Amino acid sequence: MDLWVSEMQTADMRISCRVIKSLHSEMTPFQKLMVVDTHQFGRMLLLDNIIQTTVADEFVYHEMISHVGLNTLPNPRKVLVVGGGDGGSIREIIKHKSVEKAVLVEIDGKVIEAAKKYLPEISCALDDPRVEVLVDDGIKHVKENKNTYDMIIVDSTDPIGPAEGLFGAAFYQDVHDALTEDGIFVAQTESPFFNRELIPRIYNDVASIFPLARLFLANVPTYPGGLWTFTMGSKKHDPVKVDISKLPDLNTRFYSPEIHRTCFVLPPFVQELIKK
């Protein structure tokens, strides 16, 4: 008998993957957590039946949410990840030699436990001595740590449930205040095909708080529509002005100096979303 896992990506569209084996399922205090092994994408983490990451395509998302911002900063030392309990963003962050401390704040400790057990190639850096893992509310942590971080990555789930508060102007203002004087923040900001009202709201909120706002793109096959947006707020440094000839080799599979430059080239239909 064929077993399938399905995500209702919109009310009118779903993505389904044939399952080899169900590895884990539980109701945490926050959400339904599942890990399954699939034929197409390998092991897959789902929260409330929404695909969060897979071993086949996670590198695209985690490299782009991390390296575009970190390579824009001259010498990032302290980095915060809000969410991201699978550990993929942390794995990429500590590839940067200048980083002295990377802090992960994940509200649901069960996600961290499942990632360590079933997704070791993603969570492999969570025990690194430069990494601090906190099971806590990221919104509260940001509010309580002003002028602390050189970069903040908001590696959140979709803007529903526990993550809803991570997509508002009040939170972005707290992020701004938690950054050092030339700090940068990057957030995943959903699909330009299916979130056409959310993206301009986020972008305009960020642009009203930070001197510089930028939207960039990557292709993540298991996310709705495949094309995914990230929004950056920067106090000083412009990612499109980075000298890509000086970027370090970070042993990446998707991100590269050329991708750093071209990910900011937006198709006209995406440009329309952020025109004022």
Side-chain angles (χ1 to χ4, degrees), residues 3-5 18-24 34-39 42-44 118:
L3 296 176
W4 292 75
V5 63
R18 191 155 63 96
V19 173
I20 300 170
K21 185 179 181 181
S22 176
L23 301 174
H24 184 81
M34 291 178 59
V35 183
V36 297
D37 193 7
T38 69
H39 287 274
R43 279 163 283 117
M44 173 186 290
Y118 298 105

Side-chain angles (χ1 to χ4, degrees), residues 107 138 158 190:
I107 198 169
D158 295 334
E190 305 286 309

